[in-house]
Amino acid sequence: MSLSVTATVVGLGWLVLILGSLVFEGVSGVSLAVFTEMTPPPGADGGLLNPIVGSLMLTVLAVLIGTPIGIMAGTYMAEYGKYATLTVVVRFINDILLSAPSIVVGLFVYEILVAPLGHFSGWAGGVALALIVIPVVLRTTEDMLSLVPKELRESATALGLPLARVIRHVSYRAARAGIITGVLLAIARISGETAPLLFTALNNQFFSTNLNAPISSLPVVIFQFALSPYADWQKLAWIGALIITFAVLALSITARALSASGKSS
Amino acid sequence: MSRTKILGRLRFGDMLFRNLTRAAAILVLIILSGVIISLINGALPALQAFGFNFLLEERWNPVTEKFGALAPIYGTLVTSFIAMMIAVPIGLLIALFLTELCPMWLRRPIGIAIELLAGIPSIIYGIWGLFVFAPFLQRTLQPTLIGWFDNVPVLSALFEGPPYGIGVLTASFILAIMVLPFVTSISRDVFEAVPPVLKEAAYGVGCTTWEVVRYVVLPFARVGVIGGVMLSLGRALGETMAVTFVIGNAHRVSASILAPGTTISATIANEFTEAVGDLYTSSLIALGLILFVITFVVLAAARYLLLRLEKRVG
């Protein structure tokens, strides 16, 4: 049984090792310039302004598209069609989409949005990320709404409220912390996604907020810069990795704290 | 009069909301069928040109436009297999530690730490693997392995060649680190579902911790653990960025696991934007279709097993 203690130490050791080397390689380069200057050509100084802005825009777009669809579908499954065949099928399909390879999502969006329009665009990148948001939000919404005690719904219905109002004013309110947790987890998930962006949003070495044109994003820039032979590009890749990791860790910890506070109250 | 009007409006609002949510649920189905249809549609030219041989040919030549998927398929399966060989035992041991041995106050922090490991984006594992882990392996483990198995008949072919650092073995290690949290957290949930009465009864007749684990916990949790392992396998098969960094991207099937190789997702990530010509693009989409079919089957089987377990427990 001492083997399992060793295994735990090894597992936690990796976490420390990875975070340690990230901080070691990245933290010395973090400065104001990283957030105010654009990606440089090899050999020059610069920052990560355009990929940071691009990543934020793509994330917001994906959340705006994906969250309503995910919440709506989750609502149907938990409230209206709890025992419907459609619910069972969608739950199964959704679980598969949840762990489906994200690069396949990229190929799909390329086929429907990039190839027919003839150019890469921020819209396509946002849609690709939204397709990853939907299963995460759907799953948590359904789970959280199922946890709402049915007595709450029954008493609201007994007062004469139609079901749509019961859901919006009673169920949603009771499950709010859980649903927000789901959205935060979805943001954490997409903020590091690279594969679906490679051939949808592509990349852009200039500052651009035009969603109709290729747009830069942090993960893709990290990918490109890390594999380049230039030392200063590799340095920027480490800094970008550090930023993403801490953003993701902060989001997951917030989500966890939120769901813990929701349970206790 | 106004009362019927209000009631009518409420009824209309209810119907609207109901159908809106229903449409959203149906949209999820449409997305999945859309993915399948668009992949088949995009893969069609390549499948028509090469037929069934696409799966069996090793050649990958963009200049002569001759493509075969054997090397990426082989790479995907081998890296995932080695990764699972490493991650499953370690993950199970950690889950056992968390459910059976760990003091109560330590369970939550360790559980959270393992789950945070699952949240780190794959590109981070990739950059860490390329700059830190691969050079480390190149200096330490790989020369040792080559030296050890130099004169052993079959194994010398498995550990052959110069220590590049990057390659199939390194990619497998990185994958193992990535799926470890999934294996751990699912196994932990399954182990926790074992009724305490069973364990207490076993302890009551004088079993040691190991005997309880071996004869009570593991048999009870078997189906769930297999489901969890397959779910993690689905993740490993489709993992893109971490592997792309460290696999070396060589389109060949080599016996040595120290040699560079490629996987389906790494090939697509590397070559898709540079692919010129319809046949090249179509071949890459066909690779995506193969990957999707493999992961779909694995994930569906995993879900089926876990669902069966849920029914038994609930």
Side-chain angles (χ1 to χ4, degrees):
Chain A
M1 293 315 279
S2 59
L3 258 181
S4 66
V5 180
T6 323
T8 310
V9 173
V10 170
L12 291 178
W14 286 122
L15 182 69
V16 175
L17 219 64
I18 291 175
L19 291 183
S21 51
L22 262 182
V23 171
F24 179 75
E25 296 278 348
V27 93
S28 61
V30 175
S31 64
L32 197 62
V34 172
F35 300 97
T36 54
E37 287 177 25
M38 304 212 292
T39 47
D45 286 333
L48 293 165
L49 177 65
N50 42 337
I52 291 175
V53 172
S55 269
L56 288 177
M57 287 177 65
L58 289 176
T59 308
V60 170
L61 183 63
V63 170
L64 284 182
I65 302 173
T67 313
I69 298 176
I71 292 183
M72 286 291 196
T75 307
Y76 177 80
M77 291 161 68
E79 300 279 348
Y80 285 111
K82 211 170 169 69
Y83 305 102
T85 322
L86 178 65
T87 302
V88 181
V89 177
V90 170
R91 193 180 295 141
F92 185 74
I93 298 296
N94 189 67
D95 279 346
I96 286 179
L97 284 179
L98 199 60
S99 352
S102 56
I103 194 153
V104 171
V105 171
L107 282 178
F108 168 59
V109 174
Y110 176 87
E111 283 281 296
I112 60 164
L113 278 179
V114 178
L117 297 178
H119 62 88
F120 299 98
S121 68
W123 291 112
V127 170
L129 291 182
L131 290 181
I132 294 165
V133 170
I134 293 174
V136 182
V137 174
L138 192 160
R139 180 71 187 271
T140 39
T141 305
E142 196 207 345
D143 286 352
M144 290 304 150
L145 285 177
S146 305
L147 288 179
V148 176
K150 69 172 187 302
E151 287 77 9
L152 279 181
R153 295 191 192 101
E154 283 165 359
S155 40
T157 315
L159 289 174
L161 277 181
L163 203 46
R165 299 249 166 155
V166 175
I167 293 169
R168 272 179 308 187
H169 296 294
V170 178
S171 300
Y172 277 173
R173 204 161 289 182
R176 192 170 52 197
I179 295 177
I180 295 176
T181 305
V183 175
L184 287 180
L185 287 179
I187 297 176
R189 172 96 195 268
I190 59 170
S191 50
E193 278 292 351
T194 320
L197 293 177
L198 286 175
F199 25 85
T200 51
L202 202 66
N203 195 357
N204 194 335
Q205 65 189 107
F206 303 107
F207 188 85
S208 162
T209 52
N210 181 5
L211 282 172
N212 216 4
I215 195 165
S216 176
S217 64
L218 264 182
V220 177
V221 167
I222 295 175
F223 179 53
Q224 189 194 344
F225 279 18
L227 288 177
S228 75
Y230 313 110
D232 40 357
W233 274 18
Q234 291 175 356
K235 184 81 190 164
L236 277 175
W238 275 111
I239 299 170
L242 186 70
I243 296 173
I244 287 192
T245 310
F246 278 89
V248 169
L249 287 183
L251 277 169
S252 337
I253 292 171
T254 314
R256 220 163 277 279
L258 200 68
S259 71
S261 74
K263 262 176 212 153
S264 61
S265 67
Chain B
M1 270 322 271
S2 70
R3 194 182 136 141
T4 46
K5 211 184 250 171
I6 291 172
L7 277 181
R9 199 186 299 155
L10 287 179
R11 195 167 298 144
F12 176 74
D14 202 29
M15 202 191 66
L16 189 74
F17 193 63
R18 186 195 161 92
N19 284 328
L20 218 59
T21 57
R22 202 182 147 87
I26 293 173
L27 188 68
V28 175
L29 295 187
I30 296 178
I31 290 173
L32 185 84
S33 12
V35 170
I36 296 171
I37 292 171
S38 76
L39 284 182
I40 292 177
N41 188 33
L44 216 52
L47 296 181
Q48 276 169 346
F50 306 116
F52 193 67
N53 277 340
F54 186 69
L55 294 176
L56 305 174
E57 295 272 358
E58 192 186 333
R59 64 191 178 183
W60 186 268
N61 192 337
V63 181
T64 57
E65 297 214 308
K66 296 271 183 267
F67 299 103
L70 188 65
I73 293 177
Y74 172 82
T76 303
L77 296 181
V78 167
T79 49
S80 300
F81 178 73
I82 300 176
M84 299 313 285
M85 296 285 284
I86 300 169
V88 169
I90 299 182
L92 285 179
L93 285 174
I94 297 180
L96 281 178
F97 176 73
L98 284 176
T99 52
E100 308 297 328
L101 293 175
C102 186
M104 274 299 167
W105 57 273
L106 209 59
R107 286 188 188 185
R108 226 179 110 69
I110 294 184
I112 290 178
I114 296 280
E115 274 162 37
L116 287 182
L117 202 58
I120 296 178
S122 64
I123 189 153
I124 308 298
Y125 289 97
I127 188 173
W128 181 77
L130 178 68
F131 288 126
V132 181
F133 196 50
F136 172 75
L137 284 183
Q138 184 174 22
R139 281 195 310 270
T140 54
L141 182 68
Q142 293 189 346
T144 320
L145 283 176
I146 295 171
W148 273 356
F149 296 107
D150 203 14
N151 297 318
V152 187
V154 179
L155 291 177
S156 66
L158 206 57
F159 300 100
E160 197 183 26
Y164 288 112
I166 54 175
V168 173
L169 186 68
T170 313
S172 310
F173 275 133
I174 296 283
L175 270 182
I177 299 172
M178 288 197 63
V179 295
L180 183 62
F182 295 109
V183 179
T184 307
S185 68
I186 298 172
S187 321
R188 190 190 55 183
D189 293 347
V190 176
F191 290 157
E192 272 172 359
V194 177
V197 183
L198 289 182
K199 283 192 277 183
E200 283 157 14
Y203 281 120
V205 296
C207 289
T208 60
T209 310
W210 163 245
E211 283 165 342
V212 172
V213 167
R214 172 73 188 77
Y215 296 107
V216 178
V217 176
L218 285 183
F220 191 90
R222 200 181 59 226
V223 179
V225 168
I226 296 173
V229 167
M230 293 183 75
L231 207 62
S232 317
L233 177 64
R235 291 261 172 172
L237 288 168
E239 180 44 50
T240 310
M241 299 319 294
V243 175
T244 309
F245 271 100
V246 293
I247 187 118
N249 306 306
H251 272 283
R252 59 166 186 259
V253 178
S254 22
S256 170
I257 58 169
L258 299 183
T262 190
T263 67
I264 294 178
S265 45
T267 306
I268 302 173
N270 266 320
E271 300 181 19
F272 198 81
T273 43
E274 292 160 10
V276 277
D278 290 341
L279 205 55
Y280 194 179
T281 310
S282 172
S283 299
L284 286 168
I285 296 177
L287 278 182
L289 179 65
I290 295 169
L291 177 66
F292 191 67
V293 170
I294 298 175
T295 47
F296 191 97
V297 171
V298 171
L299 292 173
R303 282 296 162 197
Y304 174 73
L305 286 175
L306 289 174
L307 213 65
R308 234 177 54 181
L309 184 81
E310 250 166 54
K311 270 191 191 137
R312 200 175 67 185
V313 172

